[in-house]
Amino acid sequence: MNLNLTTKKIDVEIEIILVTKNSKKIKNDKEILKSLNFKGEDEESALLPELGKLYVGCETDDSDNIRIAIATAIKTLNKTNFKSASIKCKDNLSAYIDGFELGNYKFDKYKSKQEELTQEDKNIYIIVDNIDKKIQKEFEESISICESVNMTRDFVNTPPDDFYPSIMAKEAIKIAQENELECKILDEDYLEQNNMGAMLAVGRASRHRSKLIHLTYKPSGKIKAKKKIVLVGKGLTYDSGGLSLKPSDFMVSMKSDKSGGCAVLGVMNTISTLNLPIEVHGIVGAVENMIGGDAYKPDDVLTAKNGKTIEIRNTDAEGRLVLADCLCYAQDEIKDIDYILDFATLTGACVVGVGQYTSGIMGNNSQLNHKIIKSASNSGELTTTLPFNRYLKKTLKSEIADICNISNTRYGGAITAGMFLDNFIKDENKQKWVHIDIAGPAFVESSWGYNPHGASGAGVRMAIEFIKDI
C-alpha cells in the first residue's frame, strides 16, 4: 500500500466515505445502503463497486473512531482487486494515517502459501485542502511512527527460535546504524563484573546468552538537549516460567514477553526523525527464561546491582528481576535524568484488573502518571492508573533477604510488581519514574479496532507522544 498526500481530486476506482448514523453523505445512495442494512456503525462497511464508493461507519469524529473506520476501509479494500482509492480529510490527518498504516498490517511470513492479496500495489490518496510545512511534517512523522509500530509488531510476533537475545541485539545495532544512534551491547561478562546478579540469574539456563542493549539519541548539530529521558524495556525473548514452569496453555504466546523491550526499540527507531531537543536513552534487558540444570531456583537469594538482596519464591516472576538491574544500570550510567519510563508485559494480574486492551500506569508521582495517561490517550492507547499503597508494600517483605520477588498475597499483583521495582529507583528519581505494565494490549489473540491478531506495538505511540509533549 502506498499512501499519498494531495490537494487534487484524483481519478480513482474507489472513493472512501466515512459516515455517521443519519449522515447526509448517504443521501444519494440511501436506498441502496438501506437494502444492505448499512447503519453507519463502527467497523461496518458497504462496498458499492458499480458506483465506485466504499461507505464506512464512523460513529463519532474523534481520533480513535477515525482510526477504526479507516482500518475497516483498508481491510475491506484488501479483499478486492481494486488498486486505487481516495478519501477527503478535513483535519486529524494523523488519525487517518494511523488507520491506514496500522490497519493494513499483516504478519504472514511463516505461511508456506501466502494469500494473493494486492495491498502492496494499492495507491491510497488522502485529499486535504492545502499542503503546508505543518501538514507535510505531520504526514511524514505519522508515517514514521506507524512504521516503527509495525516493526515492533514484527519483532514481537517472531517466534522465539528466530528472535533470541543476540538477534534482538543485532536489530538494535541495525536501528542504531540507520538512525545514527549510539549503541552499546553488553553481555553476561559485563553483568557478572558489575554485580547484576538478578538479570544474570534469569538467563542462566538458556543456551542464548543474555544481552543488555543501550541505545542513545542526542540532538544533532547546534541543538542542545533540554531534557533527558530514559526508556527501559523488558526483553524476555521467551518465558517458560523457569523451574516454576507455566502450564502448557499459559506458555503459548510467551514470545510476546519481549514486547516492552521491542517497544523501546520501536521508539528509538523513530526518535531521530522527530528532531526534538531531548536526549533519549533506550535500555533493553534481552533474556530467555528457560529450565535446565543451571536454572535459578525458588529459595535462591540473588543480589541486584544496587546491592539489594532478593528472595526468589517464584521463578516466573522474572521480568521484574531483569528490570531491576536495568533500572539500576540506567541510573548509575546516566546522570541528570528528567524522566524514567519502563515498559513491560509484567503481570497477568494487570490483565485481570483492567482488561486486555488497557495498560496499567504506576509510580510515586500522580501528576506524572496522569501526564502519561494524557499522552497515551492522545496517541490512541488505553491506560489507567493503579495506585501504590503502604499496605501492599508489606506483602513483599522477606524474612531472609531485603525483599521477596513476589508478594505473600494473590491480590493486587500488578501493583506489588510495580512496588517491587520501586526498590530499585534511587531516592532522587522516585518522582521521575513511571512503570507501565502493557501485559494486556501488547499481544491479543484476536483482532481489535485497528490492531491485528497478535502484537499491537503497545507503548510505542504513547512514549513518542509523551516525548513530544515534553
Side-chain angles (χ1 to χ4, degrees):
M1 181 191 72
N2 302 304
L3 273 186
N4 306 277
L5 194 63
T6 181
T7 57
K8 301 176 182 178
K9 186 175 181 180
I10 307 294
D11 185 20
V12 294
E13 295 168 285
I14 297 293
E15 179 187 3
I16 302 169
I17 304 168
L18 302 189
V19 297
T20 57
K21 291 181 179 179
N22 303 316
S23 173
K24 294 180 180 179
K25 292 180 181 180
I26 67 172
K27 184 178 179 181
N28 294 336
D29 304 312
K30 189 173 183 179
E31 292 304 315
I32 298 175
L33 294 173
K34 186 177 180 180
S35 68
L36 294 173
N37 199 31
F38 178 80
K39 299 176 181 177
E41 296 177 349
D42 274 350
E43 300 186 60
E44 185 181 17
S45 66
L47 178 61
L48 309 178
E50 67 281 3
L51 299 178
K53 296 178 181 179
L54 172 59
Y55 286 100
V56 183
C58 186
E59 292 191 359
T60 67
D61 59 359
D62 70 68
S63 298
D64 232 33
N65 273 321
I66 291 173
R67 293 184 185 103
I68 293 169
I70 296 296
T72 301
I74 193 62
K75 289 174 186 177
T76 301
L77 284 175
N78 282 341
K79 295 175 183 177
T80 75
N81 289 318
F82 293 118
K83 293 189 175 182
S84 63
S86 67
I87 186 169
K88 292 181 180 178
C89 171
K90 289 292 183 182
D91 52 26
N92 219 337
L93 176 62
S94 61
Y96 282 74
I97 295 167
D98 288 352
F100 280 120
E101 292 288 346
L102 302 182
N104 190 53
Y105 176 85
K106 189 168 187 179
F107 186 76
D108 59 1
K109 66 182 288 186
Y110 289 92
K111 296 275 190 181
S112 58
K113 292 184 179 179
Q114 297 193 3
E115 296 179 31
E116 295 183 3
L117 298 178
T118 59
Q119 61 251 46
E120 295 300 324
D121 301 324
K122 293 191 188 303
N123 283 298
I124 307 295
Y125 298 90
I126 302 176
I127 304 170
V128 295
D129 291 334
N130 68 300
I131 302 177
D132 55 21
K133 288 184 178 180
K134 183 179 178 182
I135 292 292
Q136 187 64 37
K137 182 181 179 183
E138 183 179 0
F139 179 76
E140 292 173 359
E141 284 188 0
S142 297
I143 293 285
S144 176
I145 292 168
C146 288
E147 286 176 348
S148 289
V149 171
N150 285 336
M151 182 194 74
T152 301
R153 289 170 167 180
D154 281 344
F155 288 170
V156 176
N157 284 326
T158 302
D161 217 29
D162 290 337
F163 203 101
Y164 38 87
S166 62
I167 299 296
M168 199 170 198
K170 287 179 181 177
E171 292 293 348
I173 292 170
K174 183 180 177 182
I175 289 168
Q177 291 172 341
E178 292 177 351
N179 295 279
E180 298 182 350
L181 308 178
E182 296 175 20
C183 181
K184 292 181 185 176
I185 306 296
L186 306 172
D187 63 13
E188 292 182 354
D189 292 336
Y190 178 91
L191 301 182
E192 189 168 1
Q193 292 164 11
N194 287 271
N195 304 312
M196 299 174 72
M199 179 174 167
L200 190 63
V202 175
R204 213 165 60 196
S206 173
R207 65 190 178 95
H208 300 296
R209 290 171 65 84
S210 301
K211 305 287 183 183
L212 193 153
I213 299 164
H214 183 174
L215 295 172
T216 305
Y217 162 76
K218 294 180 180 179
S220 59
K222 297 180 180 180
I223 301 174
K224 291 185 178 180
K226 296 180 180 179
K227 297 287 182 181
K228 190 180 295 185
I229 183 169
V230 177
L231 309 174
V232 180
K234 171 188 172 184
L236 263 292
T237 59
Y238 192 73
D239 178 23
S240 68
L243 292 180
S244 303
L245 195 65
K246 294 179 183 288
S248 58
D249 55 337
F250 279 66
M251 217 179 294
V252 176
S253 80
M254 277 299 102
K255 63 182 180 180
S256 69
D257 218 19
K258 58 183 179 287
S259 296
C262 292
V264 170
L265 294 183
V267 174
M268 299 307 294
N269 187 58
T270 288
I271 202 67
S272 63
T273 66
L274 304 180
N275 201 30
L276 298 171
I278 297 173
E279 183 176 320
V280 184
H281 294 261
I283 295 166
V284 179
V287 185
E288 188 178 62
N289 185 24
M290 299 297 286
I291 59 174
D294 198 29
Y296 80 117
K297 301 168 286 294
D299 283 344
D300 279 349
V301 174
L302 308 178
T303 304
K305 192 177 190 298
N306 66 348
K308 288 206 171 187
T309 56
I310 307 165
E311 179 188 359
I312 304 301
R313 297 187 70 87
N314 189 319
T315 64
D316 195 22
E318 86 301 326
R320 64 198 70 183
L321 303 176
V322 174
L323 285 177
D325 270 343
C326 286
L327 287 166
C328 290
Y329 165 86
Q331 294 167 96
D332 288 345
E333 298 297 318
I334 305 164
K335 305 304 177 186
D336 303 318
I337 299 171
D338 290 290
Y339 301 101
I340 303 172
L341 311 183
D342 77 68
F343 297 85
T345 48
L346 206 61
T347 65
C350 192
V351 188
V352 172
V354 301
Q356 60 186 345
Y357 308 118
T358 304
S359 295
I361 307 297
M362 288 160 263
N364 301 297
N365 186 334
S366 60
Q367 289 184 327
L368 180 55
N369 291 346
H370 285 289
K371 283 183 181 179
I372 297 290
I373 288 174
K374 182 180 178 181
S375 296
S377 179
N378 289 339
S379 75
E381 296 199 47
L382 299 172
T383 57
T384 189
T385 55
L386 295 173
F388 290 167
N389 69 72
R390 67 179 68 187
Y391 304 106
L392 283 174
K393 183 178 181 179
K394 298 175 182 178
T395 68
L396 289 166
K397 182 181 178 182
S398 168
E399 296 297 331
I400 64 169
D402 294 332
I403 193 171
C404 187
N405 80 321
I406 59 169
S407 70
N408 60 20
T409 174
R410 67 177 66 188
Y411 305 112
I415 297 173
T416 54
M419 296 181 81
F420 173 90
L421 294 177
D422 185 48
N423 286 269
F424 303 91
I425 302 296
K426 293 181 178 181
D427 289 343
E428 62 265 30
N429 293 323
K430 294 285 188 186
Q431 298 297 312
K432 304 173 182 178
W433 164 69
V434 177
H435 164 56
I436 304 167
D437 193 332
I438 59 172
F443 194 94
V444 180
E445 291 196 277
S446 60
S447 60
W448 50 291
Y450 45 90
N451 294 291
H453 166 281
S456 69
V460 175
R461 290 182 297 149
M462 80 165 84
I464 292 172
E465 190 69 26
F466 175 74
I467 293 169
K468 288 167 68 177
D469 288 344
I470 292 173

